[in-house]
Amino acid sequence: MEILSNLALGFGVALSPFNLLMCLVGVVLGTLIGVLPGVGPVATIAMLLPITFNLNPIGALIMLAGIYYGAQYGGSTTAILVNLPGESSSVVTCLDGYQMARQGRAGPALATAAIASFFAGTISTVVVALFAPPLAEVALKFGPSEYFSLMVLGLVAATVLASGSLIKAISMVLLGLLLGLVGTDVNSGVLRFAFGVSELADGIGFVVVAMGMFGLAEIIVNLEQKEAREVFTSKVGRLMPSKEDFKRMTPAILRGTALGSALGILPGGGALLSSFAAYTVEKKVSRYPAEFGKGAIEGVAGPEAANNAGAQTSFIPLLTLGIPGNAVMALMIGAMMIQGIAPGPQVMTERPQLFWGMIASMWIGNLMLVVLNLPMIGIWIKLLTVPYRILYPTILVFMCIGVFSLSNNPFDVLIMAFFGVLGYICAKLACEPAPMILGFILGPLMEENLRRAMLLSRGDPLVFFQKPISATFLTLSIVLLVVISLPALRSKREEAFAGDEQK
Amino acid sequence: MQIKNEKDFWAGLMFMGFGLAAVTIAVGPPAFLVAAWKSMGWGNLQYGYQMGTAVRMGPAYFPTMLGGLLAFLGFIVFLRGFFSELPPETMKANLSFGILDFVVGVALFAGLGYASKVMFKSGDYGMLAASVILAVLSFLFRPKTKPLILILACGMVFAYLLKPLGLVLATILLVFVAALGGHEYKTKEVAIVAVVLSIFSVVVFVYGLTLPFQIWPAAFY
């Protein structure tokens, strides 16, 4: 029972007072930004990255992970009470959660969301513990060609799962890859795309790009729209769902958890995709399809379970392969690099305390979140009444201080402003920034592995198809691309994301 | 030819621009341009990076591949802008600035940045001045661009004035400029937010996280 001893080690690490505190800080912050519409986990984690310089690696990563899954809890509160997704992954929770609130069942809706999230969190923690070690073992045998193909698969999956046009998403990935190459080329020492600016010699800071593309651009777009927020002020009422409710939500939670856990592992997956998929499934299998959109409890339970499960299992590719599945995971890689940890399969064997401590902390964090979100729901509701005109200057102050402190140089803020403009233009032109961020972080890694693989094969590009694992990854990527370009599926996909764009 | 999908049209142009720029910088500009540049007495135009071979890839290899592919995909997106079947009203880009405004903004930053680099050996003053001028221009002539320009300007003002003015004043300035970019501007409320935030950031960042910021203007020390 190696797993048990490993988990025991993990809980030992996670239960140390300092790490418990970090976990609490993470989930409180996560809930906070989840509740507040217009502040996402990507921008928040980017903002906090510079601060983690001074923390120990385990504490830092535990805190940052807490922000991501904590945001899934907080997001549902806003969705149910205000009919606004506090978090993009709770878009679908709005549909039925808000209707439940209007029928005076806000309490049971909130409780359902919390119960579903907690159950999913527990199960997916076990999934991570079970699946990560064997995957890491396989990954240890990967050579450069396998890594290159895996990254191709990851990027393709990210574009397929991005909302909107496929070809634009691929273009954004390419743009990200190119931007990732700015700076000194490791092989030749040549300064690329630096325009004689000495600050660019080390490349563009990842935090700076993420904050500009997500943080700044989000604020600008929000400010262009008129603020129209209607807080559902009626009393939350009793929290406990009825017996009938429990009966209906249990299978939904189980399905949501299974779906979320599976989709979270996929490259490009995570909370957002999982919640959409779960809602579609619930609607299909429900015995009361007519109730959907009018306050069906399954429409809250399924997606809420799925988004939390997906958020947690998306740590699997990060921890085992060192490859980020979504933008938040890309930031986690950034955090690991700041701490001098090279992400990859060796993390598990070389730093078991970090690996298992993080997994154990996820379960502890979920427990904290139930307490934070049910008995203390009143506090979060109060927060919803803070107007955006006070919120956004606060966010800006944190962002600017965070970016400036990276190297105590105003140049970083200038670059952030540049990416703010780019992010704003991309938002207006319906180009999604998430695939770009993935490309940005993978750019140098991909080039490095491509070069090595080609050197080993003496310039034969067929090597990627001769090695079985590498060939599988590439075939999968091609199949994915072809399938998604089929006209029948294309309209389905656009339909599936239609709800996303309406927000 | 009528643009049916503005979003695709501009996105395609943007991708083509980035792609072609990457290829040009990696492979080097065409020979006639290099010669023309030199004949104008502007010195040597940097002539690309080494391409290498597939076995030993030079620094130009991967960016050229990526840039070429990006330019190609950008061209397809650009063409799609003319053949969209979606209702054109929903495909408006709705950018708050025009292409001319964009050029003016870029020229302002490039010009003032270059001038200040020549005059003061640092581009910082130029960047700050360009941000302030652009903010004033946006305020006077393009009220629609206020969210964009003022949110960017508040960061620049903060960053470039943090060292001379100290954290407290820079934070207060940031909040005021940012607030001007919003819909409602209530001086009293903004002042309270500014003061609270500056106290908070001093306590958390300077005392708590011991970041090496000066709290008050440099002249006070």
Side-chain angles (χ1 to χ4, degrees), chain A residues 200-265:
Chain A
L200 285 176
D202 292 333
I204 305 171
F206 171 66
V207 177
V208 181
V209 179
M211 283 225 228
M213 294 289 289
F214 286 94
L216 272 186
E218 222 167 65
I219 291 179
I220 297 166
V221 172
N222 282 341
L223 283 181
E224 279 195 359
Q225 293 154 352
K226 276 260 178 294
E227 184 176 8
R229 200 190 308 170
E230 191 189 339
V231 181
F232 203 77
T233 40
S234 82
K235 267 191 248 144
V236 170
R238 61 180 216 120
L239 285 169
M240 217 43 198
S242 68
K243 225 181 198 162
E244 165 74 11
D245 289 339
F246 270 113
K247 222 179 185 172
R248 284 182 59 177
M249 75 192 198
T250 311
I253 292 177
L254 289 175
R255 280 189 295 265
T257 306
L259 199 64
S261 302
L263 290 178
I265 302 177

Side-chain angles (χ1 to χ4, degrees), chain A residues 165-169 171 429 431, chain B residues 5 7-13 15-16 70-83:
Chain A
S165 148
L166 180 66
I167 184 167
K168 274 169 153 174
S171 305
L429 300 180
C431 302
Chain B
N5 184 337
K7 286 181 185 173
D8 278 1
F9 175 81
W10 289 112
L13 276 184
F15 292 138
M16 280 191 325
L70 181 58
F72 173 70
L73 291 181
F75 185 61
I76 297 179
V77 175
F78 170 77
L79 283 186
R80 278 201 334 186
F82 296 99
F83 298 105

Side-chain angles (χ1 to χ4, degrees), chain A residues 51 54 148 165-168 170-172 174-175 177-179 181 185 187-188 190-197 216 219-220 222-227 387 389-390 392-394 396-398 400-402 404-405 408-411 413-414 416-418 420-422 424-431 443-444 446-447 450-451 454-455 458-460 490, chain B residues 6-8 10-11 14-15 18-19 21-23 25-26 46 49 54-60 62-63 65-67 69-70 73-74 76-77 80 92-97 102 109 117 124 127 144 147-148 151-152 154-156 158-160 162-163 167 171 174-175 178-184 186 189 193 197 200-201 205 209-213:
Chain A
I51 295 169
N54 306 326
F148 180 80
S165 148
L166 180 66
I167 184 167
K168 274 169 153 174
I170 298 176
S171 305
M172 288 301 275
L174 290 171
L175 182 57
L177 288 170
L178 272 173
L179 288 168
L181 297 182
D185 171 35
N187 278 33
S188 61
V190 170
L191 210 54
R192 289 190 290 188
F193 305 109
F195 306 103
V197 180
L216 272 186
I219 291 179
I220 297 166
N222 282 341
L223 283 181
E224 279 195 359
Q225 293 154 352
K226 276 260 178 294
E227 184 176 8
R389 63 172 191 276
I390 292 180
Y392 80 81
T394 314
L396 281 168
V397 167
F398 285 116
C400 290
I401 292 180
F404 189 91
S405 67
N408 266 319
N409 189 341
F411 183 77
V413 181
L414 178 71
M416 175 172 81
F418 170 81
V421 178
L422 187 63
Y424 168 79
I425 294 176
C426 285
K428 288 282 168 172
L429 300 180
C431 302
M446 255 184 120
E447 185 181 29
L450 175 68
R451 277 175 167 169
M454 294 300 270
L455 193 63
R458 294 173 202 204
D460 182 7
R490 213 164 80 191
Chain B
E6 259 190 22
K7 286 181 185 173
D8 278 1
W10 289 112
M14 178 177 84
F15 292 138
F18 274 113
V23 173
I25 295 171
Q46 198 193 4
Y49 318 126
V55 184
R56 290 188 180 278
M57 291 184 186
F62 197 51
M65 271 167 51
L66 293 176
L69 196 55
L70 181 58
L73 291 181
I76 297 179
V77 175
R80 278 201 334 186
K92 282 254 183 296
N94 283 327
L95 283 164
S96 58
F97 53 85
F102 185 75
F109 272 90
K117 196 150 196 174
D124 291 5
M127 294 297 149
K144 261 179 145 179
L148 175 68
I151 294 304
L152 299 177
C154 80
M156 307 285 279
F158 174 85
Y160 286 106
L162 181 56
K163 271 178 191 161
L167 184 58
T171 307
L174 187 161
V175 174
L180 285 171
H183 297 298
E184 288 170 88
K186 297 175 186 160
E189 192 185 85
V193 174
L197 277 177
F200 183 83
S201 50
F205 292 104
L209 294 162
T210 60
L211 294 182
F213 295 157

Side-chain angles (χ1 to χ4, degrees), chain A residues 312-399:
Chain A
Q312 274 179 244
T313 52
S314 60
F315 279 88
I316 292 180
L318 171 82
L319 290 171
T320 56
L321 308 170
I323 292 204
N326 56 41
V328 175
M329 294 304 123
L331 280 161
M332 297 293 289
I333 287 214
M336 289 169 104
M337 286 171 167
I338 285 178
Q339 299 283 355
I341 304 168
Q346 74 288 350
V347 171
M348 198 187 74
T349 42
E350 280 170 18
R351 293 175 174 262
Q353 269 148 333
L354 174 85
F355 185 87
W356 293 103
M358 235 176 110
I359 292 176
S361 85
M362 288 184 188
W363 189 76
I364 296 169
N366 271 289
L367 198 62
M368 290 177 177
L369 279 163
V370 174
V371 179
L372 274 176
N373 277 275
L374 285 182
M376 291 163 73
I377 189 76
I379 299 172
W380 303 116
I381 296 175
K382 280 234 174 66
L383 253 177
L384 276 174
T385 51
V386 176
Y388 195 64
R389 63 172 191 276
I390 292 180
L391 211 55
Y392 80 81
T394 314
I395 302 168
L396 281 168
V397 167
F398 285 116
M399 275 174 41

